[in-house]
Amino acid sequence: MPGRAPLVEHVYFNPPAPQQADSWWARYKAQLTGLTDSARASVEADSRYILRRGVLAADTAKSEEWSSRRSRTGLVMGSVQSGKTASMLGVSALAIDGGVDIIIVLAGTRLSLWRQTYERLVQQLDSGQEDAQKIKRRLLCPPPGIALSEQTHSLATTYRLPPAQVRQRLSQGRPLIIVAMKQTDHLHALAASLRANVFSVVKELGRTAHMLVLDDEADDGSILDAVVESSQDPIYGRLKQIPRAIANLWDPPQGSPDNLFSTYIAYTATPQANLLQEDHNPLAPRDFLISLRTPLDVGHPVDTTAPGNLNAPRSSTYPEAEGIRSYYTGGEVFYRRAKAAKLCVPTTNSVQQDLADAVRAFLVAGAIRLHRAGRLGPASAITTQFDTEQEAFAYVAPPHSMLYHPSAAILDHFRGAEDVLLWAGIQDRATARNLLDTGVARLPDTLVDDLQADPAPWAQWLDKYVASARAIEDEFDVLPPKSFPDWQTVETLLVNEMIPGTRVAVVNSDPNADDRPAYAPSQDPGTGKWRAARDISTIFVSGNVMARGLTLEGMTTALFQRSSANPLADTQMQMQRWFGYRGSYIELCRVFTSSDQLALFRAYHDVDEAVRAAITERMVSGAPDPTVLQGLNFEATGKIAGVGNFPLSPGARPFVTVINCGKQADPNADVLADLFARPSSDVTVANVLRGRILNVPLELTEAAELLDRLTFSDYQPGREGFQADIWNRVQARAHAVAPLPDPPFYRPPVRYGKGDVPRRACPYAIAAYLRLWLASLTRSITGLFVTGHPGDLWSYADLGRKTVEQPRFWVGIRYGDGAAVSNSSLARLPFNIYATRKTVAGGELKTTWGASDPSAGPSQFRGDVYFDYYHRNLAVPMSSDTAWRPSGSDGQILFYVNQHPGDLYPTVAVGVCLPAGGPEQFAATRAGVAIVKRSLP
């Protein structure tokens, strides 16, 4: 009929599952209004992955799938200020829909963080009016009237779980939702309430019950270090009780119901300490590791049509169609992709000059943002009243923030805030401190006078921001180009709005400091009128507290003057609060810090990406657990005692000390004889025949194959053990960048099982290293440094140049002062080999590299490590501060044919000289495994 739509039959091979009309997930998803379609799909896809592969991966009806304590533990790695809370709430919603009975969210070690998470959970997960219907659908603990009250309540009251309501909710399949502060007294109070009011009800259910514990910022307070715990620190002792107190929620000493099963998930952006915990610690991630994704312009797309597909390809980032406005701007943007935009500014030797430069940059950026917003500025907003809260949001410019981090010391924060005010024109420290104590320390009019008297240092920032915008547009294909006001407009906004409207505040754990930033409008109880949020334009001076969950909205500028004699990657990663979703104004962002600190930040980001890639590869292909990485000059974490540093490279001059017994024919002699069937030449120095060398060097692959052919009766390692683990993990990272054509890297003689205990100087590990070097020439593998240049990152290297400079290996035989070898395959070569007589005891060489004479002249023999130099007519270094050969030079493999008069057969020993410039990583190890000193060999 005309006007009627044609009937279309829809046939589904896999019919879509019906959507529950009032599901927790449907309500939560409806709250994600500020996200793009792909971001919403990513939250859902990752939440479903965590639920199916983590929370519900084991069936509570099958006790054999659980530990003896009926608990499972896992870890979810996010990024700093990237949306971990959105994931936690998404997992909670899906878990409730999936039948999980008890949700416990551990939300911060400070009251402000606890309330911040509580408010968000109520607004998004538990949305809607607090009416009878909402009250019946769950039991929320503590109730809003207690959690958000300014009155003081006992912890017993705060975490009260009325047994009648518990029984009613659980019998009806309705959840208990608990938001607890991660502090020992709070946790003990909650545990007591669970034992008294919940466990007895669980026992009576007649079915299994499932508790899910979500630990936000799980590396903060939740790390159990057995070494430290054994001798409680008088200051941090109670902090170390937190992990036990968390575990006691489901596994108290008094016992828990046999039908209660629990899953603990640690959420963190910096999982180093979590991964380094001993496996027996109750919160160590034993069962699953999962990495969240962030939006950028690269990676596997999120399937928006089927976010529940757990087998979809994954990568650490996914393409965001909305462009840079919706990108996550983390280390990849600040330290790599936007390098030409000069978002990172090295500081000078003048603290005063750096402070002035940073504050000017912040205020000019604020004027530009204010011009773009076209709303009331911070000064006008102070004197304006609004009829509704919505008007106070809609008519006022969005928040604009700066972070000044002078040091970890609380007193330095107040002094730093005073310094800002003094630079701006406040006459003395006493006046500045009084202003700070009132909470309304705004920049004085004298700064306006300074601007008008000398506008040049201010106006330069407009030019710099324009240049940054063009660089960002080129790198990220941004259209249309960003617009900028002229200098006169910027100056007017600085004079009228930004300078008089900007507040200076201290945020730390001191009682005299602000509790947290205020970005919500406030209502006058007398008039009922609304005022704009307090922190429309604020310079926050802070320290460690900013590293834990408190978010600075609209942050453009950071001045980071902190330094550390013992930098810790996880702690300083968390301090980078300039990370986040700042793509809409990224060209206005600046990080001021020292060149050394910037190098550390780049290295932290690189090893962070390596761990993230390793977890992602494990999720996709079942790769090994990730290696916790650090640097030669920084540690992964300070939360675990006795962390060691295990380098991947065998060093500049590794020598294999294991040697076969001279009572039987050495198969390595046959390997050497086969090799020297090739053309070779004598090496004569100062009229003394020193040995023989191949005329053509070996390529990386050939050198690796040669070392792998060596066999030893007393040394046969297998594909299990620390060497195998390390090489399997780095191989997985390399494979994640691009599939390897000829795996594996590490090829020990025993293919199955552990074999002998692997050695540090292992020929098969050296061969694996050479294969990694070759693979790294075509892959920017994160987490790798450069040997001989420990501050250089492999992922920043010019791989074309690295390919040109890849080493070849000259292979020689060093003669000794013994008799000519006469009774092995080596005797059939067309030249005599004179045996060395190195000391051997118990199958081990007691001497390694041979002759070495540092005082030898140009025509004399300086040492065996330069054996090939004489063949190639190269100048031998007369002095060196390092054992490494220069980057771009060739290496050497030098054999010794060892035979004492009493030996029936000659035996073969080998040493290797490696040039600098190869790949290196530093694996953090648990106490007592392996430690290297922070100095080059």
Side-chain angles (χ1 to χ4, degrees), residues 16 27 45 63 119 124 199 238 243 281 301 342 489 493 503 563 617 635 677 685-686 723 746 802 860 862 872 902:
R27 281 196 301 272
S63 58
E119 288 171 352
Q124 294 187 344
F199 285 3
R238 289 183 64 78
N281 288 340
K342 299 181 179 179
T489 301
L493 291 172
R503 189 173 79 99
S563 61
E617 187 68 9
E635 295 178 1
V685 184
Q723 285 282 17
Y746 183 59
K802 285 288 184 187
Q860 298 173 302
R862 179 114 192 272
R872 296 189 284 150

Side-chain angles (χ1 to χ4, degrees), residues 90-225:
V91 171
S92 298
L94 290 171
I96 295 171
D97 289 338
V100 171
D101 301 278
I102 305 169
I103 304 288
I104 299 177
V105 177
L106 304 179
T109 56
R110 299 184 71 231
L111 182 64
S112 57
L113 296 177
W114 177 49
R115 284 183 171 171
Q116 179 176 282
T117 301
Y118 185 95
E119 288 171 352
R120 185 164 172 185
L121 182 144
V122 169
Q123 292 166 3
Q124 294 187 344
L125 177 66
D126 192 34
S127 58
Q129 272 192 317
E130 189 75 10
D131 53 19
Q133 183 178 3
K134 181 178 178 180
I135 291 172
K136 288 181 180 178
R137 78 183 183 210
R138 77 340 182 212
L139 175 58
L140 178 63
C141 175
I146 291 180
L148 304 179
S149 172
E150 296 302 323
Q151 297 180 358
T152 301
H153 297 272
S154 69
L155 293 180
T157 301
T158 300
Y159 294 108
R160 182 171 177 268
L161 291 159
Q165 294 184 36
V166 170
R167 180 173 289 102
Q168 184 183 53
R169 298 298 188 276
L170 292 183
S171 64
Q172 295 173 346
R174 305 294 173 84
L176 312 184
I177 303 174
I178 303 165
V179 184
M181 186 172 168
K182 195 161 54 172
Q183 193 263 354
T184 50
D185 292 335
H186 283 247
L187 293 169
H188 290 324
L190 173 58
S193 184
L194 290 171
R195 293 194 303 271
N197 305 316
V198 176
F199 285 3
S200 59
V201 176
V202 168
K203 286 181 181 179
E204 301 167 0
L205 279 179
R207 61 173 176 85
T208 60
H210 196 165
M211 175 192 293
L212 172 61
V213 179
L214 301 164
D215 188 353
D216 192 15
E217 303 289 354
D219 64 312
D220 183 24
S222 302
I223 304 302
L224 181 61
D225 182 340

Side-chain angles (χ1 to χ4, degrees), residues 7 95 224 249 261 336 362 378 396 416 487 489 499 516 537 627 632 665 691 763 797 818 863 902 916 919:
L7 294 175
L224 181 61
L249 296 177
F261 293 79
R336 193 187 302 270
F362 167 71
V396 178
W487 170 247
T489 301
I499 292 176
R516 56 174 166 159
S537 180
T627 301
L632 185 64

Side-chain angles (χ1 to χ4, degrees), residues 694-748:
L694 292 183
N695 290 344
V696 177
L698 303 184
E699 302 295 333
L700 280 164
T701 300
E702 294 175 301
E705 290 172 348
L706 170 62
L707 293 170
D708 276 337
R709 289 178 63 193
L710 301 178
T711 58
F712 303 92
S713 59
D714 292 335
Y715 181 56
Q716 298 185 36
R719 295 193 177 181
E720 295 180 19
F722 80 87
Q723 285 282 17
D725 290 344
I726 285 175
W727 286 108
N728 288 339
R729 290 167 181 172
V730 75
Q731 178 178 304
R733 297 213 316 275
H735 177 80
V737 179
L740 295 166
D742 186 30
F745 289 156
Y746 183 59
R747 304 175 184 179

Side-chain angles (χ1 to χ4, degrees), residues 436-515:
L436 291 169
D437 290 342
T438 66
V440 288
R442 302 195 183 276
L443 298 179
D445 292 339
T446 48
L447 190 56
V448 171
D449 299 335
D450 174 81
L451 161 63
Q452 294 175 331
D454 185 14
W458 299 74
Q460 67 171 339
W461 279 106
L462 177 59
D463 296 333
K464 290 180 179 180
Y465 290 141
V466 171
S468 294
R470 302 304 169 242
I472 294 289
E473 289 156 10
D474 289 344
E475 175 63 30
F476 294 101
D477 298 324
V478 178
L479 287 174
K482 284 292 182 71
S483 62
F484 287 85
D486 58 24
W487 170 247
Q488 185 176 357
T489 301
V490 171
E491 185 176 24
T492 300
L493 291 172
L494 286 168
V495 170
N496 296 334
E497 294 290 346
M498 294 308 302
I499 292 176
T502 294
R503 189 173 79 99
V504 181
V506 176
V507 177
N508 59 26
S509 55
D510 189 283
N512 295 318
D514 288 337
D515 184 41

Side-chain angles (χ1 to χ4, degrees), residues 303-332:
D303 188 349
T304 56
T305 63
N309 179 10
L310 304 188
N311 298 316
R314 293 183 66 93
S315 48
S316 61
T317 61
Y318 62 88
E320 172 52 70
E322 297 293 325
I324 194 169
R325 293 180 61 87
S326 300
Y327 291 170
Y328 172 70
T329 50
E332 190 67 13

